[in-house]
Amino acid sequence: METIELGTTGRSTTRLGYGCSSLMGGMGRRESLAILETAYDAGVRHFDVAPMYGFGEAESCLGEFLARHRSDVTVTTKYGIASPKQSGWMSTARAVVRPVVKALPGLKRGLVKAAGKSVKGEARAGFTAAQAKESLERSLAALKTDRIDVWLLHEVEAGDLQDDGLLRLLEDCVAAGTIGSFGVGSEREKLMALCAERPEYCGTVQFEWSVMDAPVMMPGFRIHHRALTHHFRELHEALVKDKIRCARWSAAVGMNLMERETLASLMLKAAMVENPASVILFSSKRAAHVKHNVQVAENAALEQPARRLYELVREYGQGAA
């Protein structure tokens, strides 16, 4: 698989990375470890996690995986959204909710959306040096490592950055080798404002990108996620409803966009070809999907159709297609 220098970390990694948001949620620990091994065996070498993922257990699950592979993989984790408190009732809730989520994927999307609303409220950190240091130490312990390659301030805004000691802590951790680099991860609109006001925090930026998004200029090394998710569902539903446009676009790209797998493949490939200096994250609980996404990343024949799809989406958004 194609590799890339991971910002200023001094390490290289694969351009396709695995997002660990699904670990320990609808999957148990054994299944979560198995999907990580599937991604690794397929060639993926970058893994993205956060303390909040998987009811607060995703980091420790990834840490168990890293114990076998740390020397040849890179890791991003985050600070800013607290891990759920681990208690007896939380464990019971996981045991009850997990099989229901497996049976009802739509319910999972609702729970994730609700959790996101909760997280943006009272669960956010204060973005102080003291809190950040404690969070970093917890992440290092959970991940069973002495170094985090990329450490991101999660959902931070310019107004949150009132403690000047936080920047000194981040710089000191880079100098000590505890983290390879630092940056911010948030929605693109918030990041654009943050990069303008506090560029010293923005050496690495992580935000969403899909064919539904307009090109954007952003400083720093870029990591992108959400190339598919709801954007794929929205575009596929639109093409199914508008069969004339679907036929015209299919002819233009030379592939049948009515087929879900074809459209998803081109959307993922577009993220890679339109952001050639970035890491592109994907997440899946299914081994077959993981392997397929790696094949898409490696398939040079998809580059031109993917570029054409993005052109068509942009033209349509401007009223021309």
Side-chain angles (χ1 to χ4, degrees):
M1 193 189 301
E2 183 183 358
T3 60
I4 190 173
E5 291 296 314
L6 186 60
T8 59
T9 65
R11 302 194 68 194
S12 61
T13 195
T14 50
R15 288 208 52 227
L16 188 68
Y18 183 79
C20 298
S21 57
S22 296
L23 299 184
M24 304 302 295
M27 297 186 289
R29 195 173 192 88
R30 181 161 51 183
E31 295 168 295
S32 296
L33 289 168
I35 203 70
L36 289 171
E37 293 290 352
T38 296
Y40 179 86
D41 289 343
V44 175
R45 292 295 182 268
H46 184 72
F47 295 84
D48 178 276
V49 73
M52 64 170 288
Y53 293 169
F55 299 104
E57 293 187 353
E59 279 190 328
S60 66
C61 180
L62 182 62
E64 186 173 339
F65 164 82
L66 291 178
R68 298 186 291 276
H69 304 294
R70 185 63 184 101
S71 63
D72 58 347
V73 302
T74 55
V75 176
T76 292
T77 193
K78 308 172 186 77
Y79 156 67
I81 299 178
S83 166
K85 292 181 179 178
Q86 299 304 294
S87 62
W89 73 264
M90 179 67 82
S91 298
T92 301
R94 283 198 302 272
V96 172
V97 169
R98 186 170 287 144
V100 178
V101 167
K102 284 183 177 180
L104 301 171
L107 174 62
K108 179 188 175 185
R109 290 192 290 271
L111 290 172
V112 168
K113 184 176 181 180
K117 291 179 180 177
S118 169
V119 152
K120 291 179 180 178
E122 58 205 29
R124 292 179 72 248
F127 295 100
T128 65
Q131 281 190 3
K133 186 174 183 294
E134 292 175 359
S135 180
L136 177 59
E137 290 171 350
R138 287 193 297 268
S139 289
L140 288 167
L143 291 166
K144 299 178 176 63
T145 186
D146 59 359
R147 174 188 170 92
I148 290 167
D149 298 292
V150 180
W151 199 40
L152 300 178
L153 303 184
H154 204 181
E155 299 295 343
V156 67
E157 298 182 36
D160 298 321
L161 300 173
Q162 301 300 315
D163 182 359
D164 292 337
L166 177 58
L167 182 60
R168 289 194 297 272
L169 172 70
L170 294 170
E171 292 171 340
D172 289 347
C173 287
V174 171
T178 310
I179 61 177
S181 67
F182 62 86
V184 291
S186 188
E187 298 172 3
R188 66 165 59 199
E189 290 80 8
K190 293 179 180 178
L191 275 182
M192 292 176 71
L194 179 60
C195 290
E197 294 182 46
R198 302 301 300 268
E200 64 272 24
Y201 284 93
C202 302
T204 296
V205 290
Q206 180 168 309
F207 60 96
E208 73 280 6
W209 193 97
S210 82
V211 296
M212 310 291 277
D213 294 311
V216 61
M217 296 298 295
M218 198 84 73
F221 179 77
R222 289 161 48 164
I223 302 172
H224 297 298
H225 58 103
R226 297 183 193 167
L228 299 173
T229 61
H230 65 282
H231 301 293
F232 164 71
R233 292 190 295 272
E234 291 171 0
L235 183 54
H236 187 259
E237 288 172 4
L239 291 174
V240 168
K241 290 178 181 178
D242 189 344
K243 291 182 172 56
I244 294 176
R245 174 158 57 108
C246 184
R248 186 167 66 249
W249 285 17
S250 295
V253 302
M255 301 178 74
N256 184 3
L257 298 180
M258 189 70 75
E259 296 178 354
R260 293 173 60 87
E261 184 175 290
T262 297
L263 179 61
S265 297
L266 292 185
M267 289 180 70
L268 178 61
K269 193 66 174 182
M272 301 194 73
V273 298
E274 294 296 331
N275 302 280
S278 303
V279 168
I280 306 299
L281 301 174
F282 77 97
S283 183
S284 179
K285 297 183 294 183
R286 299 182 181 180
H289 287 177
V290 171
K291 295 174 183 176
H292 176 74
N293 286 343
V294 171
Q295 291 172 354
V296 168
E298 295 175 338
N299 189 349
L302 294 177
E303 292 181 5
Q304 188 54 40
R307 286 194 179 94
R308 184 61 182 131
L309 174 64
Y310 185 53
E311 291 172 356
L312 290 165
V313 173
R314 300 308 311 146
E315 290 168 4
Y316 182 79
Q318 297 165 4

